Amino acid sequence: MNIALLGGQIALVFCLIFVGVLVNKLNFMHVQTSNDLTNILLNIVSPCLILNAFEQPYSNDRVHQFLLSALGVFIFYIISILISHLFFSSVTSVNLKTVSIYGSVYSNAGFMGVPLAAALFGKAGVFFAVVSLTGFNLFNWTHGIWLFSADKDQNDWRQTLKKVFLNANIIAIVIGLVIFFYQIKLPQIPDSVIKYIASINTPLSMIVIGNSLANARLDRHTFNLQLWSSLFLRNFLFPLTAAFILKILSVTGAAFYTTVLMMACPTAGIVVLFTLQAGRNTASAVTLMSLSTILSLFSIPLIFYLISI
């Protein structure tokens, strides 16, 4: 893995994030605009990126690495969830405990991981990135929702299943797998439309992230020990754990580096949305997401340097 190339791509991504910060400071993007763009990214742009990634030649080795990566991602989430719950079991504040656990486990795989994978490894990167994206969606809409539920005993499991399996990205993955295994060639016009839409994923997602970061403020939450413990798990320990699991499973090449990259991404921005939906104070969630994103500028290259030694 070329660390210099990775560092250059991350620097480019942060330049795009800075554009998002500038957009916010110039009042070019309001809350409703940011929400609308987020919905467009999650439900239209990201699915097109996934479909485009599956349009590549079939190979047994690619399928083998895909399945091994899927097993590694599943094991990773189980281990990271258990560690996080144990690590923060003594935290008395329900909101802080929930944010710390969620922030430790769930990375910004969709908004930051997929664009980085596409920039570094092209279609092959996005192809293997969908493994982590699938794992994120499955655990996020089950365990993640459970964490933030005000009344965990009355969760509507049917609504949870609906959110998991009717998620636009999951549907795109299923369709993409059919396209890949049956080597279906899409007609020229739909294929071109998908490619054009997919191409805006990286700049648009980074601008939206930058717009969110611009609202972060330095306050007492910035120096909270629990949040920094969550940062350590998310930005350092868990990515290395993922790399260790994948090494044991003999995952190699683009599959290995892409999956580690997805797990090394900062805390998922959806932690703020879940906190809002739970009717709780978002200060801790915003601080954790912001610090983790800024720290990732240094932590991601460090992770890749360590796994390349």
mmCIF file of all heavy atoms in Angstrom, residues 84-85 87-102 147-148 152 220-221 224-227 275 279-285:
data_model
loop_
_atom_site.group_PDB
_atom_site.id
_atom_site.type_symbol
_atom_site.label_atom_id
_atom_site.label_comp_id
_atom_site.label_asym_id
_atom_site.label_seq_id
_atom_site.Cartn_x
_atom_site.Cartn_y
_atom_site.Cartn_z
ATOM 1 N N SER A 84 -16.937 -2.587 23.344
ATOM 2 C CA SER A 84 -17.463 -1.249 23.650
ATOM 3 C C SER A 84 -18.432 -1.271 24.825
ATOM 4 O O SER A 84 -18.386 -0.397 25.698
ATOM 5 C CB SER A 84 -18.167 -0.666 22.416
ATOM 6 O OG SER A 84 -17.242 -0.444 21.391
ATOM 7 N N HIS A 85 -19.301 -2.266 24.846
ATOM 8 C CA HIS A 85 -20.249 -2.362 25.960
ATOM 9 C C HIS A 85 -19.524 -2.598 27.286
ATOM 10 O O HIS A 85 -19.899 -2.028 28.317
ATOM 11 C CB HIS A 85 -21.270 -3.481 25.698
ATOM 12 C CG HIS A 85 -22.416 -3.053 24.830
ATOM 13 N ND1 HIS A 85 -23.540 -2.437 25.341
ATOM 14 C CD2 HIS A 85 -22.613 -3.144 23.495
ATOM 15 C CE1 HIS A 85 -24.386 -2.168 24.353
ATOM 16 N NE2 HIS A 85 -23.840 -2.580 23.221
ATOM 17 N N PHE A 87 -16.330 -1.771 27.868
ATOM 18 C CA PHE A 87 -15.467 -0.614 28.107
ATOM 19 C C PHE A 87 -16.229 0.530 28.769
ATOM 20 O O PHE A 87 -15.703 1.223 29.649
ATOM 21 C CB PHE A 87 -14.869 -0.155 26.774
ATOM 22 C CG PHE A 87 -13.570 0.596 26.910
ATOM 23 C CD1 PHE A 87 -12.357 -0.077 26.900
ATOM 24 C CD2 PHE A 87 -13.560 1.978 27.041
ATOM 25 C CE1 PHE A 87 -11.159 0.616 27.028
ATOM 26 C CE2 PHE A 87 -12.368 2.680 27.172
ATOM 27 C CZ PHE A 87 -11.161 1.993 27.167
ATOM 28 N N PHE A 88 -17.476 0.735 28.364
ATOM 29 C CA PHE A 88 -18.251 1.876 28.873
ATOM 30 C C PHE A 88 -19.375 1.454 29.822
ATOM 31 O O PHE A 88 -20.315 2.215 30.046
ATOM 32 C CB PHE A 88 -18.835 2.669 27.697
ATOM 33 C CG PHE A 88 -17.798 3.242 26.775
ATOM 34 C CD1 PHE A 88 -17.584 2.689 25.519
ATOM 35 C CD2 PHE A 88 -17.013 4.316 27.165
ATOM 36 C CE1 PHE A 88 -16.619 3.208 24.668
ATOM 37 C CE2 PHE A 88 -16.040 4.843 26.330
ATOM 38 C CZ PHE A 88 -15.838 4.283 25.070
ATOM 39 N N SER A 89 -19.266 0.275 30.377
ATOM 40 C CA SER A 89 -20.323 -0.251 31.256
ATOM 41 C C SER A 89 -20.499 0.564 32.539
ATOM 42 O O SER A 89 -21.583 0.610 33.118
ATOM 43 C CB SER A 89 -20.029 -1.714 31.620
ATOM 44 O OG SER A 89 -18.776 -1.813 32.294
ATOM 45 N N SER A 90 -19.446 1.243 32.982
ATOM 46 C CA SER A 90 -19.511 1.987 34.244
ATOM 47 C C SER A 90 -19.925 3.453 34.065
ATOM 48 O O SER A 90 -20.051 4.184 35.050
ATOM 49 C CB SER A 90 -18.155 1.932 34.957
ATOM 50 O OG SER A 90 -17.140 2.515 34.160
ATOM 51 N N VAL A 91 -20.143 3.894 32.827
ATOM 52 C CA VAL A 91 -20.536 5.288 32.580
ATOM 53 C C VAL A 91 -21.964 5.496 33.079
ATOM 54 O O VAL A 91 -22.879 4.755 32.702
ATOM 55 C CB VAL A 91 -20.437 5.631 31.081
ATOM 56 C CG1 VAL A 91 -20.892 7.075 30.838
ATOM 57 C CG2 VAL A 91 -19.010 5.430 30.587
ATOM 58 N N THR A 92 -22.161 6.490 33.925
ATOM 59 C CA THR A 92 -23.474 6.700 34.546
ATOM 60 C C THR A 92 -24.454 7.466 33.650
ATOM 61 O O THR A 92 -25.659 7.229 33.695
ATOM 62 C CB THR A 92 -23.320 7.460 35.880
ATOM 63 O OG1 THR A 92 -22.591 8.682 35.635
ATOM 64 C CG2 THR A 92 -22.560 6.618 36.888
ATOM 65 N N SER A 93 -23.957 8.393 32.852
ATOM 66 C CA SER A 93 -24.825 9.159 31.960
ATOM 67 C C SER A 93 -25.286 8.284 30.796
ATOM 68 O O SER A 93 -24.464 7.775 30.024
ATOM 69 C CB SER A 93 -24.086 10.379 31.411
ATOM 70 O OG SER A 93 -24.812 10.974 30.364
ATOM 71 N N VAL A 94 -26.592 8.094 30.676
ATOM 72 C CA VAL A 94 -27.137 7.243 29.613
ATOM 73 C C VAL A 94 -26.776 7.783 28.236
ATOM 74 O O VAL A 94 -26.362 7.022 27.346
ATOM 75 C CB VAL A 94 -28.674 7.125 29.745
ATOM 76 C CG1 VAL A 94 -29.251 6.351 28.557
ATOM 77 C CG2 VAL A 94 -29.049 6.460 31.050
ATOM 78 N N ASN A 95 -26.905 9.094 28.054
ATOM 79 C CA ASN A 95 -26.614 9.697 26.757
ATOM 80 C C ASN A 95 -25.140 9.551 26.392
ATOM 81 O O ASN A 95 -24.796 9.146 25.271
ATOM 82 C CB ASN A 95 -27.005 11.179 26.766
ATOM 83 C CG ASN A 95 -26.838 11.831 25.409
ATOM 84 O OD1 ASN A 95 -27.142 11.232 24.387
ATOM 85 N ND2 ASN A 95 -26.333 13.054 25.396
ATOM 86 N N LEU A 96 -24.251 9.853 27.330
ATOM 87 C CA LEU A 96 -22.817 9.756 27.081
ATOM 88 C C LEU A 96 -22.405 8.308 26.817
ATOM 89 O O LEU A 96 -21.583 8.034 25.938
ATOM 90 C CB LEU A 96 -22.037 10.315 28.273
ATOM 91 C CG LEU A 96 -20.513 10.338 28.143
ATOM 92 C CD1 LEU A 96 -20.078 11.160 26.943
ATOM 93 C CD2 LEU A 96 -19.881 10.894 29.421
ATOM 94 N N LYS A 97 -22.986 7.390 27.577
ATOM 95 C CA LYS A 97 -22.678 5.967 27.400
ATOM 96 C C LYS A 97 -23.094 5.491 26.009
ATOM 97 O O LYS A 97 -22.331 4.811 25.314
ATOM 98 C CB LYS A 97 -23.406 5.156 28.473
ATOM 99 C CG LYS A 97 -23.147 3.650 28.403
ATOM 100 C CD LYS A 97 -23.860 2.954 29.563
ATOM 101 C CE LYS A 97 -23.591 1.458 29.555
ATOM 102 N NZ LYS A 97 -24.239 0.780 30.699
ATOM 103 N N THR A 98 -24.304 5.869 25.599
ATOM 104 C CA THR A 98 -24.827 5.456 24.298
ATOM 105 C C THR A 98 -23.988 6.021 23.159
ATOM 106 O O THR A 98 -23.606 5.308 22.233
ATOM 107 C CB THR A 98 -26.288 5.921 24.137
ATOM 108 O OG1 THR A 98 -27.072 5.370 25.191
ATOM 109 C CG2 THR A 98 -26.858 5.468 22.809
ATOM 110 N N VAL A 99 -23.692 7.315 23.241
ATOM 111 C CA VAL A 99 -22.889 7.974 22.206
ATOM 112 C C VAL A 99 -21.487 7.371 22.131
ATOM 113 O O VAL A 99 -20.956 7.136 21.034
ATOM 114 C CB VAL A 99 -22.809 9.494 22.477
ATOM 115 C CG1 VAL A 99 -21.746 10.148 21.605
ATOM 116 C CG2 VAL A 99 -24.153 10.154 22.234
ATOM 117 N N SER A 100 -20.897 7.077 23.270
ATOM 118 C CA SER A 100 -19.543 6.514 23.313
ATOM 119 C C SER A 100 -19.498 5.121 22.693
ATOM 120 O O SER A 100 -18.573 4.803 21.923
ATOM 121 C CB SER A 100 -19.037 6.450 24.759
ATOM 122 O OG SER A 100 -18.944 7.740 25.320
ATOM 123 N N ILE A 101 -20.492 4.294 23.019
ATOM 124 C CA ILE A 101 -20.537 2.937 22.455
ATOM 125 C C ILE A 101 -20.760 2.996 20.950
ATOM 126 O O ILE A 101 -20.032 2.367 20.168
ATOM 127 C CB ILE A 101 -21.642 2.096 23.128
ATOM 128 C CG1 ILE A 101 -21.296 1.835 24.592
ATOM 129 C CG2 ILE A 101 -21.840 0.770 22.385
ATOM 130 C CD1 ILE A 101 -22.398 1.139 25.381
ATOM 131 N N TYR A 102 -21.776 3.757 20.543
ATOM 132 C CA TYR A 102 -22.090 3.847 19.122
ATOM 133 C C TYR A 102 -20.913 4.447 18.340
ATOM 134 O O TYR A 102 -20.529 3.937 17.282
ATOM 135 C CB TYR A 102 -23.333 4.704 18.908
ATOM 136 C CG TYR A 102 -23.759 4.752 17.456
ATOM 137 C CD1 TYR A 102 -24.688 3.850 16.958
ATOM 138 C CD2 TYR A 102 -23.204 5.683 16.570
ATOM 139 C CE1 TYR A 102 -25.055 3.869 15.618
ATOM 140 C CE2 TYR A 102 -23.561 5.705 15.235
ATOM 141 C CZ TYR A 102 -24.493 4.801 14.772
ATOM 142 O OH TYR A 102 -24.840 4.810 13.437
ATOM 143 N N LEU A 147 -29.596 0.745 20.745
ATOM 144 C CA LEU A 147 -28.841 1.576 21.684
ATOM 145 C C LEU A 147 -29.570 2.874 22.017
ATOM 146 O O LEU A 147 -29.582 3.317 23.166
ATOM 147 C CB LEU A 147 -27.475 1.924 21.084
ATOM 148 C CG LEU A 147 -26.306 0.973 21.305
ATOM 149 C CD1 LEU A 147 -25.085 1.475 20.547
ATOM 150 C CD2 LEU A 147 -25.987 0.819 22.781
ATOM 151 N N PHE A 148 -30.173 3.483 21.000
ATOM 152 C CA PHE A 148 -30.778 4.794 21.184
ATOM 153 C C PHE A 148 -32.275 4.743 21.504
ATOM 154 O O PHE A 148 -32.899 5.793 21.632
ATOM 155 C CB PHE A 148 -30.570 5.650 19.928
ATOM 156 C CG PHE A 148 -29.174 6.179 19.799
ATOM 157 C CD1 PHE A 148 -28.207 5.462 19.115
ATOM 158 C CD2 PHE A 148 -28.818 7.391 20.366
ATOM 159 C CE1 PHE A 148 -26.911 5.942 18.995
ATOM 160 C CE2 PHE A 148 -27.533 7.883 20.259
ATOM 161 C CZ PHE A 148 -26.571 7.157 19.573
ATOM 162 N N LYS A 152 -36.451 0.154 25.216
ATOM 163 C CA LYS A 152 -35.921 -0.965 24.452
ATOM 164 C C LYS A 152 -36.851 -2.178 24.436
ATOM 165 O O LYS A 152 -36.762 -3.021 23.570
ATOM 166 C CB LYS A 152 -34.548 -1.376 24.998
ATOM 167 C CG LYS A 152 -33.493 -0.297 24.862
ATOM 168 C CD LYS A 152 -32.160 -0.806 25.323
ATOM 169 C CE LYS A 152 -31.052 0.203 25.063
ATOM 170 N NZ LYS A 152 -31.139 1.400 25.849
ATOM 171 N N ARG A 220 -16.877 21.991 27.088
ATOM 172 C CA ARG A 220 -16.449 21.005 28.096
ATOM 173 C C ARG A 220 -16.499 19.579 27.556
ATOM 174 O O ARG A 220 -15.747 18.710 28.016
ATOM 175 C CB ARG A 220 -17.336 21.113 29.342
ATOM 176 C CG ARG A 220 -18.814 20.837 29.094
ATOM 177 C CD ARG A 220 -19.654 21.085 30.331
ATOM 178 N NE ARG A 220 -21.071 20.866 30.087
ATOM 179 C CZ ARG A 220 -21.652 19.676 30.133
ATOM 180 N NH1 ARG A 220 -20.933 18.606 30.427
ATOM 181 N NH2 ARG A 220 -22.943 19.545 29.898
ATOM 182 N N HIS A 221 -17.363 19.324 26.562
ATOM 183 C CA HIS A 221 -17.453 17.979 25.997
ATOM 184 C C HIS A 221 -16.183 17.602 25.236
ATOM 185 O O HIS A 221 -15.848 16.417 25.106
ATOM 186 C CB HIS A 221 -18.662 17.885 25.059
ATOM 187 C CG HIS A 221 -19.976 18.109 25.743
ATOM 188 N ND1 HIS A 221 -20.581 17.141 26.528
ATOM 189 C CD2 HIS A 221 -20.801 19.194 25.788
ATOM 190 C CE1 HIS A 221 -21.721 17.622 27.010
ATOM 191 N NE2 HIS A 221 -21.884 18.857 26.582
ATOM 192 N N ASN A 224 -13.865 15.614 27.451
ATOM 193 C CA ASN A 224 -14.449 14.513 28.211
ATOM 194 C C ASN A 224 -13.644 13.227 28.004
ATOM 195 O O ASN A 224 -13.411 12.801 26.870
ATOM 196 C CB ASN A 224 -15.904 14.307 27.775
ATOM 197 C CG ASN A 224 -16.621 13.290 28.639
ATOM 198 O OD1 ASN A 224 -16.355 12.108 28.549
ATOM 199 N ND2 ASN A 224 -17.522 13.768 29.478
ATOM 200 N N LEU A 225 -13.233 12.598 29.091
ATOM 201 C CA LEU A 225 -12.388 11.404 29.026
ATOM 202 C C LEU A 225 -13.079 10.257 28.292
ATOM 203 O O LEU A 225 -12.435 9.526 27.526
ATOM 204 C CB LEU A 225 -12.003 10.962 30.446
ATOM 205 C CG LEU A 225 -11.133 9.702 30.546
ATOM 206 C CD1 LEU A 225 -9.802 9.908 29.825
ATOM 207 C CD2 LEU A 225 -10.898 9.335 32.019
ATOM 208 N N GLN A 226 -14.391 10.104 28.515
ATOM 209 C CA GLN A 226 -15.110 9.014 27.866
ATOM 210 C C GLN A 226 -15.110 9.172 26.347
ATOM 211 O O GLN A 226 -14.962 8.193 25.610
ATOM 212 C CB GLN A 226 -16.555 8.955 28.394
ATOM 213 C CG GLN A 226 -16.686 8.744 29.891
ATOM 214 C CD GLN A 226 -15.960 7.497 30.354
ATOM 215 O OE1 GLN A 226 -15.848 6.515 29.632
ATOM 216 N NE2 GLN A 226 -15.449 7.533 31.589
ATOM 217 N N LEU A 227 -15.279 10.406 25.888
ATOM 218 C CA LEU A 227 -15.281 10.643 24.450
ATOM 219 C C LEU A 227 -13.907 10.357 23.844
ATOM 220 O O LEU A 227 -13.806 9.813 22.740
ATOM 221 C CB LEU A 227 -15.706 12.079 24.142
ATOM 222 C CG LEU A 227 -17.178 12.445 24.415
ATOM 223 C CD1 LEU A 227 -17.465 13.854 23.926
ATOM 224 C CD2 LEU A 227 -18.125 11.449 23.752
ATOM 225 N N THR A 275 -29.218 10.594 18.055
ATOM 226 C CA THR A 275 -29.338 11.299 19.335
ATOM 227 C C THR A 275 -30.508 12.277 19.299
ATOM 228 O O THR A 275 -31.269 12.392 20.270
ATOM 229 C CB THR A 275 -28.032 12.062 19.655
ATOM 230 O OG1 THR A 275 -26.925 11.155 19.610
ATOM 231 C CG2 THR A 275 -28.093 12.685 21.044
ATOM 232 N N GLY A 279 -34.357 12.325 21.388
ATOM 233 C CA GLY A 279 -34.713 13.482 22.211
ATOM 234 C C GLY A 279 -33.659 13.843 23.236
ATOM 235 O O GLY A 279 -33.976 14.369 24.312
ATOM 236 N N ARG A 280 -32.391 13.596 22.909
ATOM 237 C CA ARG A 280 -31.303 13.862 23.843
ATOM 238 C C ARG A 280 -30.427 15.021 23.367
ATOM 239 O O ARG A 280 -30.507 15.438 22.212
ATOM 240 C CB ARG A 280 -30.443 12.603 24.014
ATOM 241 C CG ARG A 280 -31.217 11.404 24.574
ATOM 242 C CD ARG A 280 -30.372 10.151 24.543
ATOM 243 N NE ARG A 280 -31.117 8.982 25.013
ATOM 244 C CZ ARG A 280 -30.654 7.734 24.931
ATOM 245 N NH1 ARG A 280 -29.461 7.505 24.422
ATOM 246 N NH2 ARG A 280 -31.394 6.731 25.369
ATOM 247 N N ASN A 281 -29.571 15.497 24.257
ATOM 248 C CA ASN A 281 -28.643 16.576 23.935
ATOM 249 C C ASN A 281 -27.588 16.061 22.951
ATOM 250 O O ASN A 281 -26.937 15.045 23.198
ATOM 251 C CB ASN A 281 -27.974 17.074 25.227
ATOM 252 C CG ASN A 281 -27.173 18.340 25.004
ATOM 253 O OD1 ASN A 281 -26.381 18.429 24.074
ATOM 254 N ND2 ASN A 281 -27.382 19.328 25.865
ATOM 255 N N THR A 282 -27.393 16.785 21.852
ATOM 256 C CA THR A 282 -26.484 16.316 20.800
ATOM 257 C C THR A 282 -25.043 16.799 20.961
ATOM 258 O O THR A 282 -24.191 16.476 20.127
ATOM 259 C CB THR A 282 -26.990 16.784 19.419
ATOM 260 O OG1 THR A 282 -27.032 18.216 19.394
ATOM 261 C CG2 THR A 282 -28.376 16.219 19.123
ATOM 262 N N ALA A 283 -24.748 17.566 22.012
ATOM 263 C CA ALA A 283 -23.410 18.150 22.167
ATOM 264 C C ALA A 283 -22.305 17.093 22.139
ATOM 265 O O ALA A 283 -21.300 17.240 21.440
ATOM 266 C CB ALA A 283 -23.337 18.958 23.464
ATOM 267 N N SER A 284 -22.491 16.013 22.890
ATOM 268 C CA SER A 284 -21.475 14.947 22.943
ATOM 269 C C SER A 284 -21.324 14.266 21.585
ATOM 270 O O SER A 284 -20.203 13.968 21.146
ATOM 271 C CB SER A 284 -21.847 13.908 24.008
ATOM 272 O OG SER A 284 -21.851 14.477 25.289
ATOM 273 N N ALA A 285 -22.443 14.017 20.912
ATOM 274 C CA ALA A 285 -22.416 13.342 19.615
ATOM 275 C C ALA A 285 -21.701 14.196 18.565
ATOM 276 O O ALA A 285 -20.864 13.689 17.805
ATOM 277 C CB ALA A 285 -23.837 13.022 19.167
#
